[in-house]
Amino acid sequence: MRKIHDFHGGIHPVENKHQSLHTPIRDAGIPAELTLPLSQHIGAPATPLVAVGERVLKGQLVAEATGLVSAALHAPTSGTVTAIEPRPIAHPSGLPAPCLVIASDGEDAWCELPPPCSFETLERPELLARIRAAGIAGMGGAGFPAAVKLGLKPGTQVETLIINGTECEPYITADDILMRERAAQIVRGAQILAHLVAPAETVIGIEDNKPEAIAAMCAAAEGTGIEIAVFPTKYPSGGEKQLIELLTGKQVPSGGLPMDVGVVCQNVGTAAAVADAVEHGRPLISRITTVTGAAVDEPQNFEVLLGTPMSHLLALAGYRAADNPRLVMGGPMMGFTVPDPGVPIVKTTNCILAPSAQELPAPPPAQACIRCGLCAEACPASLLPQQLYWFARGREFEKAEAHNLFDCIECGACSYVCPSNIPLVQYYRAAKAEVLQMRRDAQKAEHSRQRFEARQERLEREEAEKEARRAARKQAAEEKARRAADAGSGEADPVQAAIERAQARKAAQAAGAASEENPLQKLEKTVVTTRERLEKAEAKLAQARSEGADHIAALETGVEKTRAKLAAAEQALQDYQAQQTPAEPAPAGDAAQAAIQKAMAARAAQANKSPLEKARDNLEKLEARLAKSEARLAESRAAGEEEKIVEALASSVERLQEKVAAARAELAAEES
Amino acid sequence: MADVSYRELSLNGLWKNNPAIVQLLGLCPLLAVTSSVVNAIGLGLATTLVLVISNTSVSLIRNIVSDAVRLPAFVMIIASAVTCIELLMQAYTYELYQILGIFLPLITTNCVILGRADGFACKHSLLPAMYDGLIMGLGFALVLVFLGALRELAGSGALFANMDLLFGPVAANWKIVVVDDYQNFLLAILPPGAFIFTGLIIAVKNIIDARIDARRAALREKPVKGSKRVRVTGTIS
Amino acid sequence: MALMRVTSPHAHGPLSTSAVMQQVLLATVPGVLVLTAFFGFGTLVNIAFAALLAVSFEALALKLRGRPPGFYLGDCSALVTAVLLGIALPPYSPWWLIAVGIAAAILMAKHLYGGLGYNPFNPAMVGYVVLLISFPVQMTSWAPPRGAGEVPGLLEALRACFTPGSFDAITMATPLDVLKQNDALLVRDLWAQSPQFGRWAGLGWEWANLAFLAGGLWLLYRRIFTWHAPVAMLAVIALMAALFYDGGSSASGGSPLFHLLSGATMFGAFFIVTDPVTSAVSVRGRLVYGALVGLLVYLIRVFGNYPDAVAFAVLIMNFAAPFIDQYTQPRTYGHAGTGDGK
């Protein structure tokens, strides 16, 4: 028997789990239309691989993972793709997001699946590839793609593999019923996961309020070496960090991952899906979802295809919309409300909670905090919630951060116990958002400072270069004149010559140190360094694009500027060469040719979008910048800032206005 | 510099920039000796007198004393004035002198006096400097007396007790018993009471100021309101 | 009907501020009953009049501050303040004493600082200390307990309160006072000579303290507060008393049992020190807070000017609570540092 540790805090809300456990898992059938959000969980959205109108088969890959933290998407049934467009989805923001809509044909015809196999015969990379290809994401909470968690760095030693069957949130019974009915599958999944990460021990953690599930799991795990750990019921023991502390006594360092303490944690649902994917080659296209709450007549668990509208499940469970003031996806502690019952089930939808108004009454008005400290007692992260609340209210975000605001897991235990009904978690969320925004702003300011300094430096350098060029030109002209004079007549005025020499010396002096080295070499060097910088900047831009970072616009302008500079430098070099070697026009022509070619190539490289689109993008960007500059100008005028600043702003606004006008003309030209 | 508005000076000293309840200067005597009206009047008069003398003298020597030594010079002047006052009080109001005790010589260190000397008197000619000293002193004294009255009333239920200490035997029966059979409310007479009552006075002053500002703002906004209404009817018809 | 959009958590626990306050009120009942049994109706009259005034003052203050009185009065915090002050005041206090105390508690200590939750000092104790400083005579005269003197009836209690001139209160020094004044007798002899003393401590006082202990234990059982601050306070008082109790010489400070069951020890430990608003927050902070209150109570009782010291000790520690909080922050999950785990 393993030692069960304890974690700080926790609460014991009314469980309300029995309501949905009267009946076995029921198949929810195939709805007429399935809506698959391309972004089902944290991480990058998937990229659709099918076009509207295309017929897809059950289990066919319809959208592939992009980037590291992403998961593939498969057709839950056979049918036709009818749309790829933004639809309302279950997301805390309530905003619509791109979805792939499939009209089912009712045939439920499978596509060709990889042959069933036994996991012992598969190598690690192969096994991982199968899990990744099946699009498995964590079925418990945030839905972190499973393959990412399992793709360990070589050389890491996992001590404990934890399979999370805790399900500590009230009402939810999806994992409970899964463990009761499919214990063997879960155990096989756990074995596969253990094979994959090679842990010293594998533990399945279950709260003691699920005796049937514990019995089933114990029976299934008999003789496999997998341990079933049972611990007292307490919310939020199912939180990954809390569960790790419960079972191992170790704490995941702040800002770190479970792997930092040698632990990999997966949900029981994920384990079952892994078993399905590896043994039968079946991708993740369905899940167990609890439908419960007083506003449904028959609370129960469904096996439901991903993309099924919630309304379909609710109807099967006998939903009374009139009794239901709010519809929650997830549990009453951490779930979020959905805007309407039509939103689809996704990989992370473990529960649909349709409470009546009496069951979960609307939050009463908050009273004053009496610093009773119940929240600090309940906090599983050992924070001081009411201190954080004061800081968040007083907008003292630095202090809130110093009090470890970002270690809050938003479990809601503090709000639950608060006798004054203060919406503490909302305060923390808002504070976190503010802090993140402030960090982004600071980063932006830092970027623009760097840009400004770079520009200043460049201007100075250009000025020096210009000066050097001018001096060189003058010198060359004088030289030529002198040579011509020398060639023309031997009786040149010596005084004139002396004057000319003096002037040349003076010019050389004026050019300063910059002109000390051979101007040709210098210009060539400029061209080379500028080209290097351009390449670097382009690489950075490409990277930023692939990551979807928010400073793309800034980088783009930087690249443009560098490109212009390169062209200027090449032009200068070419000019100089033309001047220096008037007798040999061919290489100069070559250089010009090369420059033209280069410019065209750059253009082509940039023009991966259609020119019309590009022009439009450009115009939009410019307009946005103009609007920002104008706002800034108005602001500084209103604030009565220094005249110099206002003038500078005004001139930049004018410049932008010109640019916008040019861009508009270009767009018009493109459109016509 | 020559054109100093005496009206402005008066307003500043008595209300807008009152040394006691706006600048919060000289709080030590303010809190320590205002347990009764007579103490407050005594110290208020002494402070006013010192302020007038020091402002006058500082203004007179302002062009002679160099910047580097001006603060020592000012302090010397103030100390001399305080010593004179102290001796005078020893001679004529000995009991009050004993009650005020250490707070009389401490007038030397009262920031109001040095503040006015350095902030006003050394930059202005004789008359304005004198007037400023008088008004600032009166502003300070008035707050002192008001606070003293409040505390005496709350503390012992009477007013103007022991006025003979300052005004001689004539004033022996000036005491007004406001509440008969009053249980002395010691807190008002003890130092915490001084803090509480000073805080209340400052609060009341702020309320009055806020009311005045609001009324002014309302007066300024009125024409705008009128024109708006005209425009609204215009668009409707 | 549009679906409600709210963020998690959706469930809420059963506790509310007014329920907490009501349970605190309920828990004072045994103590008040014992006080009434031994000292007559004085305390009850105190409480009734204080409650009336407190609610009126609270409503007035809320109105002046532009808050809806109905909603804020519902939290019952003014009633708690009134009851606590009413218990702390000597029985048969005149009406103006109670009025001044309640005004200081509600208007000054509570609403000048921003109302419930914002007051750095315990309102009831501020009211008590204002009275103690201002009216030492009235505040240190306690009625004799049944068995050591005559106990007035309800009518006389009302007269004592509302027409103080017509009532000649019989007063008697409290046991703590007697012990403090004593510098000649052995504790044993003092016990035998003075009628105020009972089995373990003061006559009546010991039972009142036990009753408040019972109420406090009930609140602990109801999880209204944690055990840390009261236990720390009581432990330190007992420890100090044990240290300075030299077997009962004339200079000794009374036995640990005497100190635990005298004056406002239990009342303070379970009803004053546990006031969440003005105490430290974290578990370790509450231990420190309670222990320091206990230390101050003993020091002032035995070496200070006042016979009892819970109010002073609590107010002094109210000052210190934010600092205690600063230095006793619990170790957050996943952070290195002192504390348990890892």
Side-chain angles (χ1 to χ4, degrees), chain A residues 241 254 332 386 404 407 420 429, chain C residues 8 10 17 281 332-335:
Chain A
K241 291 178 170 181
S254 172
Q386 92 277 38
N404 304 321
D407 286 298
S420 292
R429 275 197 206 104
Chain C
S8 67
H10 307 283
T17 302
V281 169
T332 307
Y333 179 101
H335 283 259

Side-chain angles (χ1 to χ4, degrees), chain A residues 585-595:
Chain A
D590 273 1
Q593 196 66 31

Side-chain angles (χ1 to χ4, degrees), chain A residues 36 101 201 268 360 544 560 597 648:
Chain A
L36 296 171
V101 186
E201 51 173 359
V268 286
L360 293 183
E560 268 166 39
Q597 273 174 358

Side-chain angles (χ1 to χ4, degrees), chain A residues 368-373 386-387 390 420, chain C residues 17 20-21 75 77 80-81 109-110 113-123 224-225 271-281 286 289 314 317-319 321-322 325:
Chain A
C369 168
I370 55 168
R371 296 171 29 107
C372 62
Q386 92 277 38
Q387 296 300 93
W390 290 118
S420 292
Chain C
T17 302
V20 170
M21 298 290 177
D75 62 29
S77 60
V80 171
T81 301
K110 190 173 173 189
Y113 286 97
L116 178 65
Y118 297 87
N119 49 312
F121 302 106
N122 186 316
I224 299 300
F225 48 73
F271 293 90
I272 303 297
V273 167
T274 53
D275 168 32
V277 179
T278 54
S279 76
V281 169
R286 284 181 176 168
Y289 176 82
V314 166
M317 289 317 295
N318 285 168
F319 271 115
D325 279 340

